[in-house]
Amino acid sequence: MARQKLTAVRGVKDILPEEARRWSEAERVAREIFARYGYGEIRVPAFERTELFSRGIGEGTDIVTKEMYTFEDKGGDSITLRPEATASICRAYVQNSLYAQAGVAKLFCTGPMFRYERPQAGRYRQFHQIDAEALGTDDPALDAEVIFMLMEFLEAVGLSGLSLQLNNIGDAECRPVYAAALLEFLREETAGMGTGGMDESLAERIERNPLRFLDSKDPAHAGIISRAPTIDQFWNERCRRHLDTLCRHLDRGGVHYERNPALVRGLDYYCLTVFEVTSENLGAQNAVCGGGRYDGLVEELGGPPTPAIGFAIGMERLLQLTEKAGAGPGGEPGDQPIEVFIVALGESAEAESLTLASELRGRGLRVDRTFGGGSMKSQMKRADRSGARYVIVLGEDEISGGVVSLREMAESRQESFERAGIGDYLCARLRPSP
Ligand code: AMP
């Protein structure tokens, strides 16, 4: 009886070579653009002490209460697979005293994140982010620069039709006043709805963090959200000025945005500027990037007061969009196809094909070959499928004559070449010097 097939766990997926190529290309574009803005790469661990996230992201958030992959390791420590990168980057910033360096610390990171969410189109339990963080100033010019960089990147990978939603969610002074007013409003609305619309856990959630209600995608909540007080009615002078200055910078930079006083984010550490980039081509999970300021987080994690701002782009959604746009960052799928394919008939030819492949690869060519022998016909079929422009045929006659047979597939013509000169010939054809 056939063994049962094992499959990946729910909510995770394999990234196969064609897609992986587009991922790498998107990451390459990010590296290139981020470097121009002075960002250096940081690689933080995939798991951390649970406390980092509960303290950093906030005890009352959905991520911390419901979505973390948390387990006790064999030493009895509570460990969590990272649900996001900002807290880890701030921990690393404090632990490695990166604040001791002059100026703004600009860091980016890429990699998998883990959240136990309900899987659906565009929402996974392991997903990937490109994350950029700038630490060291509360100057709105930094907010603007971060947004310029983000939009430049999204444009460079071929996305269009995006909407940049912008808000200021207040600071430690005015946000609590707003949260209290919102809570009051939501309590009344809840009472008004009786037990009909709101279940107990929602009521609990409102008490815990009323701002999160504004993020609800439930159509039954839309009416309440549209009537709810918004933060702009509560901004203090500093918050109002911060947003106005940022908007002026964005206007001057030609970046389009929409001021959305109802925009809140799911993590507690945000203050002042928050933003989200959405696309109408994504369906229900329409955010391709989220970000904002988190001026208190570094201090919360034991570092010196360090205002900071950052964003995270969801790779799966980004790639879904480039696929729809038919663009694909930097080229079509298969933009690195095999150039030379080696067909070998007989034992000594097989051995020689290994040597020849290494030699050609050593000269920078993309080379593949058949494995496991087979007839000339079946090997040529594989050669054809590889898409290679040139096929080298090695048989006993070629080996003894010190030659190779070379076929240019488009021309279906075969010629004999000196074995010693084939590398030079192929390089001249495939890598002509300008
Ligand atoms: P956040 O860290 O929640 O601000 O999310 C930033 C971005 O990561 C979002 O805009 C999405 O593009 C992406 N993202 C967040 N959660 C998921 C998920 N479960 N699956 C796929 N992408 C996600």
Side-chain angles (χ1 to χ4, degrees):
M1 206 174 73
R3 307 285 300 267
Q4 195 190 351
K5 217 191 281 172
L6 288 174
T7 56
V9 301
R10 197 162 119 80
V12 310
K13 67 168 190 158
D14 301 308
I15 296 144
L16 302 179
E18 184 276 315
E19 196 183 351
R21 224 168 357 233
R22 298 193 301 123
W23 278 55
S24 303
E25 181 58 15
E27 284 173 1
R28 187 194 63 73
V29 174
R31 271 167 218 285
E32 194 184 298
I33 291 176
F34 292 5
R36 274 195 264 124
Y37 285 79
Y39 284 70
E41 183 171 8
I42 181 166
R43 299 192 186 201
V44 288
F47 57 86
E48 299 267 2
R49 272 182 239 286
T50 302
E51 189 191 352
L52 172 68
F53 303 115
S54 48
R55 245 210 278 169
I57 298 170
E59 298 279 4
T61 58
D62 280 357
I63 293 182
V64 171
T65 54
K66 295 194 293 211
E67 296 170 4
M68 295 205 305
Y69 280 90
T70 297
F71 59 95
E72 199 172 280
D73 70 8
K74 293 195 193 311
D77 290 322
S78 180
I79 298 295
T80 292
L81 301 185
R82 62 177 180 196
E84 56 110 50
T86 308
S88 300
I89 290 177
C90 289
R91 190 228 2 99
Y93 176 83
V94 175
Q95 186 173 344
N96 299 287
S97 309
L98 300 184
Y99 46 80
Q101 294 159 14
V104 174
K106 295 177 172 179
L107 303 163
F108 77 92
C109 129
T110 63
M113 309 294 155
F114 308 87
R115 293 183 197 172
Y116 192 78
E117 293 191 86
R118 197 166 48 78
Q120 62 182 84
R123 191 158 75 190
Y124 303 94
R125 289 181 172 171
Q126 173 178 314
F127 60 97
H128 298 73
Q129 289 183 335
I130 300 181
D131 191 279
E133 312 289 346
L135 305 97
T137 175
D138 64 359
D139 186 339
L142 181 63
D143 307 32
E145 190 190 84
V146 160
I147 291 174
F148 288 157
M149 181 172 87
L150 168 65
M151 299 316 279
E152 184 179 337
F153 167 70
L154 294 176
E155 198 174 310
V157 293
L159 301 200
S160 57
L162 300 173
S163 159
L164 168 63
Q165 306 279 317
L166 186 65
N167 193 20
N168 182 307
I169 55 160
D171 62 9
E173 184 187 73
C174 61
R175 185 145 55 128
V177 184
Y178 169 59
L182 183 63
L183 179 61
E184 183 95 342
F185 168 84
L186 293 175
R187 273 189 192 140
E188 273 169 32
E189 292 288 325
T190 314
M193 287 173 75
T195 54
M198 297 202 174
D199 58 38
E200 198 193 338
S201 77
L202 180 60
E204 277 170 6
R205 277 177 59 191
I206 290 170
E207 292 293 325
R208 208 173 46 218
N209 187 348
L211 269 71
R212 291 287 293 131
F213 185 84
L214 303 181
D215 231 6
S216 169
K217 302 273 187 284
D218 189 334
H221 301 154
I224 303 177
I225 293 172
S226 68
R227 291 192 307 279
T230 46
I231 181 71
D232 48 335
Q233 300 149 23
F234 294 82
W235 282 332
N236 57 21
E237 187 49 31
R238 172 181 178 236
C239 290
R240 186 179 303 280
R241 214 162 354 114
H242 192 98
L243 184 61
D244 286 347
T245 311
L246 169 57
C247 287
R248 271 202 307 280
H249 289 317
L250 294 179
D251 291 338
R252 210 172 303 133
V255 170
H256 298 287
Y257 55 88
E258 208 175 301
R259 283 169 76 139
N260 177 359
L263 176 70
V264 293
R265 313 261 309 116
L267 298 85
D268 275 359
Y269 52 61
Y270 286 115
C271 65
L272 296 158
T273 306
V274 289
F275 54 92
E276 207 162 74
V277 178
T278 58
S279 164
E280 57 193 24
N281 298 322
L282 275 177
Q285 302 300 314
N286 66 351
V288 65
C289 172
R293 257 196 182 278
Y294 47 93
D295 290 350
L297 181 58
V298 171
E299 207 175 352
E300 176 66 35
L301 299 177
T306 309
I309 181 165
F311 63 74
I313 299 166
M315 277 301 273
E316 284 78 3
R317 296 185 197 173
L318 178 92
L319 270 289
Q320 197 184 326
L321 285 173
T322 59
E323 198 175 16
K324 281 202 171 133
E332 289 303 311
D335 56 352
Q336 296 274 294
I338 286 296
E339 297 167 303
V340 181
F341 197 94
I342 306 174
V343 161
L345 297 156
E347 212 170 296
S348 48
E350 290 245 1
E352 174 59 15
S353 87
L354 263 186
T355 314
L356 178 57
S358 301
E359 185 187 313
L360 297 177
R361 286 175 188 137
R363 300 187 63 160
L365 302 180
R366 295 188 295 276
V367 183
D368 204 354
R369 47 161 288 174
T370 53
F371 291 92
S375 67
M376 175 74 175
K377 195 171 158 206
S378 80
Q379 291 199 44
M380 280 311 290
K381 215 186 251 175
R382 281 178 266 171
D384 197 32
R385 229 179 289 142
S386 76
R389 182 167 151 197
Y390 290 99
V391 174
I392 294 175
V393 180
L394 285 176
E396 299 303 327
D397 287 352
E398 279 86 0
I399 300 293
S400 57
V403 296
V404 302
S405 297
L406 182 74
R407 181 179 294 196
E408 186 164 359
M409 292 305 266
E411 318 262 314
S412 41
R413 143 165 71 83
Q414 192 160 310
E415 280 178 88
S416 191
F417 273 85
E418 287 293 318
R419 162 72 179 82
I422 187 67
D424 285 345
Y425 176 77
L426 287 171
C427 282
R429 303 302 298 268
L430 290 164
R431 300 279 187 280
S433 35

